[in-house]
Amino acid sequence: MATSATLAMAAKARELREQGKDIIGLSLGEPDFTIPEFVKEAAIQAVKDNYHSYTPVDGYVELKKAIIKKFERDNDLSYQPAQIVVSTGAKQSLSNLAHVLLNEGDEVLLPAPYWVSYRDISEVAGGVPVVITTSIDNDFKVTPQELEAAITPKSKLLIYSSPCNPSGSVYTKEELRALADVLVKYPQIIVISDEIYEHISYAGKHVSMAGFSDMYDRTVTVNGVSKAFSMTGWRIGYLGGPEYIARACNKMQGQVTSGANCIAQRATIAALENPPSKIQYMVDAFQNRRKLILDLLIDIPGIKSNEPDGAFYVFPDISYYFGKTIRGRTIKNSGDFALFLLEEANVATVTGEAFGDPNCIRISYAASESDIKEAMSRIKAALQ
Ligand code: PMP
Ligand code: GLU
């Protein structure tokens, strides 16, 4: 199993900062906002109310109710409590799913670029990743033909995120329906729809795969509060899906971590009970930063980017620089490029190889406007 490239780059940036270097960190997908006051207050209240015990493995009943209401309010999805499992971050929801669903040798369809951990989580659970290459010219989205060509009798899971980490692409309802039309022909495939960026979208109403009635019984919807509520360190994620899958995840989690943190769960109730309009100020800020970073990126020779519709990443193609020697260093791949930016421009990004696309790098714009401006000007200067 490889080390998580996102976390490894963040650790490297931290280490260089401790050595006194002025590093701008655009590697980690982590909102720079503080947690909304109403969420903080719920957590403080939970401490005062003496919440301290082990929690139910699959989550507090009140939190499950809030999740069910959230699914109804935001996604038109209807779940019963037995179909919901709360976990220690969406990462654990994904890991539980891989462990309970994959048998040794089962294939996991991963349209690339995919989120870095899908691959290793699948592999450690015995799965075999089948990477489906997409193109920047198609906004990094997988087409029905590309999906169907990758399916074999061993295909067991399809995992994707929309809005996508790292490309920012958002599938439209028509595009998802076209993928569903392929999937209905292969009933052995279960879909994991990672919707953790649903609110950080500039493309109109979010679409869930489980919203198609013929996909509902075969789709697990994964979500969490890390991104929308800036609660990355509080570690709460959740899933809604077929009851037999939820039951298996519950069993798995009961042997590995038990229920998620009690204070964070109480705070999550407050987060989810509030309508998405409460966090619109963060989304508006991300949208302004997207424009800022795209305007500055276009100004750098040799860099090609699509216009991401969601999340807080740009995923430019930097392959123009492969084979070029800058200040005695030859850039052979996107890993070299990211390292060059770190050491020569003091800007931390993540290599596209980690996301299954070796021509690109990922730059997070979940950072202040002044950091974005300074980082882009340093990158431009280093490359010039
Ligand atoms: N899925 C995607 C696409 C992500 O970007 C992240 C970010 N860490 C996660 C899942 C996991 O989120 P968390 O474990 O913080 O809920
Ligand atoms: N999801 C974030 C990212 O992609 C956080 C890092 C991680 O969980 O790997 O940067």
Side-chain angles (χ1 to χ4, degrees):
M1 191 186 203
T3 303
S4 158
T6 46
L7 300 184
M9 196 53 152
K12 179 134 180 96
R14 216 175 285 135
E15 195 183 296
L16 289 173
R17 236 177 252 129
E18 276 160 17
Q19 290 168 15
K21 286 215 170 163
D22 169 27
I23 303 289
I24 300 178
L26 304 183
S27 58
L28 210 54
E30 170 152 76
D32 56 328
F33 292 99
T34 53
I35 292 176
E37 284 306 315
F38 62 93
V39 179
K40 285 191 205 165
E41 273 156 29
I44 292 165
Q45 195 56 48
V47 174
K48 288 188 177 155
D49 289 345
N50 289 315
Y51 277 93
H52 68 103
S53 316
Y54 284 126
T55 56
V57 171
D58 51 349
Y60 283 125
V61 173
E62 297 90 333
L63 176 52
K64 285 188 169 201
K65 277 191 190 145
I67 291 169
I68 288 167
K69 276 202 190 138
K70 175 252 159 317
F71 274 132
E72 268 162 14
R73 180 191 65 205
D74 301 341
N75 314 111
D76 298 320
L77 291 177
S78 168
Y79 290 113
Q80 298 300 315
Q83 294 179 275
I84 305 289
V85 180
V86 177
S87 296
T88 300
K91 217 176 225 176
Q92 190 185 20
S93 307
L94 293 164
S95 169
N96 284 340
L97 287 166
H99 279 285
V100 305
L101 290 170
L102 292 172
N103 292 317
E104 203 66 36
D106 282 347
E107 292 177 355
V108 182
L109 299 161
L110 295 178
Y114 47 78
W115 181 49
V116 53
S117 293
Y118 296 160
R119 185 187 186 107
D120 296 277
I121 282 174
S122 301
E123 279 180 336
V124 88
V128 178
V130 174
V131 176
I132 312 175
T133 306
T134 65
S135 121
I136 190 167
D137 297 321
N138 192 38
D139 205 16
F140 294 110
K141 292 180 192 174
V142 66
T143 64
Q145 295 75 19
E146 287 163 345
L147 174 63
E148 189 150 27
I151 293 174
T152 75
K154 289 198 148 195
S155 306
K156 182 67 183 280
L157 283 181
L158 164 67
I159 315 182
Y160 74 94
S161 59
S162 176
C164 173
N165 178 2
S167 70
S169 303
V170 177
Y171 284 91
T172 64
K173 190 168 185 180
E174 292 68 34
E175 286 164 345
L176 276 188
R177 184 60 252 178
L179 297 180
D181 286 341
V182 172
L183 292 163
V184 289
K185 294 192 255 170
Y186 303 93
Q188 86 276 13
I189 301 175
I190 291 166
V191 179
I192 299 181
S193 171
D194 181 345
E195 305 186 9
I196 198 160
Y197 293 97
E198 73 164 307
H199 295 307
I200 304 166
S201 173
Y202 326 113
K205 192 166 163 43
H206 175 77
V207 190
S208 296
M209 181 64 92
F212 299 124
S213 55
D214 52 0
M215 290 304 297
Y216 178 82
D217 285 335
R218 301 172 41 193
T219 303
V220 185
T221 309
V222 171
N223 210 322
V225 287
S226 283
K227 313 293 167 177
F229 296 92
S230 205
M231 291 168 69
T232 47
W234 293 43
R235 312 303 306 125
I236 298 289
Y238 55 89
L239 63 78
E243 192 178 329
Y244 77 96
I245 297 178
R247 205 181 311 125
C249 289
N250 187 359
K251 192 197 266 185
M252 180 81 197
Q253 189 163 296
Q255 293 285 23
V256 179
T257 53
S258 307
N261 174 288
C262 62
I263 305 301
Q265 284 200 53
R266 302 311 299 183
T268 300
I269 297 174
L272 296 183
E273 277 177 346
N274 278 278
S277 57
K278 282 264 192 167
I279 49 161
Q280 189 58 37
Y281 68 96
M282 294 195 228
V283 183
D284 292 343
F286 288 133
Q287 190 161 5
N288 291 337
R289 294 172 193 182
R290 175 187 65 157
K291 180 168 182 341
L292 175 67
I293 198 163
L294 285 175
D295 287 348
L296 295 170
L297 260 184
I298 285 167
D299 223 27
I300 304 177
I303 289 193
K304 178 177 171 186
S305 181
N306 68 328
E307 187 172 315
D309 279 326
F312 33 58
Y313 309 101
V314 283
F315 196 62
D317 184 316
I318 45 81
S319 57
Y320 166 83
Y321 287 95
F322 294 172
K324 296 208 174 358
T325 302
I326 315 180
R327 274 194 258 179
R329 306 167 65 128
T330 303
I331 294 174
K332 293 185 293 301
N333 50 44
S334 71
D336 287 349
F337 188 87
L339 208 59
F340 172 81
L341 295 187
L342 183 65
E343 288 169 0
E344 300 286 337
N346 284 349
V347 178
T349 58
V350 187
T351 166
E353 272 148 26
F355 304 94
D357 190 329
N359 290 330
C360 298
I361 58 161
R362 190 188 78 174
I363 310 176
S364 162
Y365 57 86
S368 69
E369 294 201 359
S370 61
D371 273 358
I372 293 171
K373 281 187 196 151
E374 174 63 17
M376 290 303 118
S377 113
R378 286 188 195 175
I379 292 175
K380 190 175 175 188
L383 292 173
Q384 264 172 354

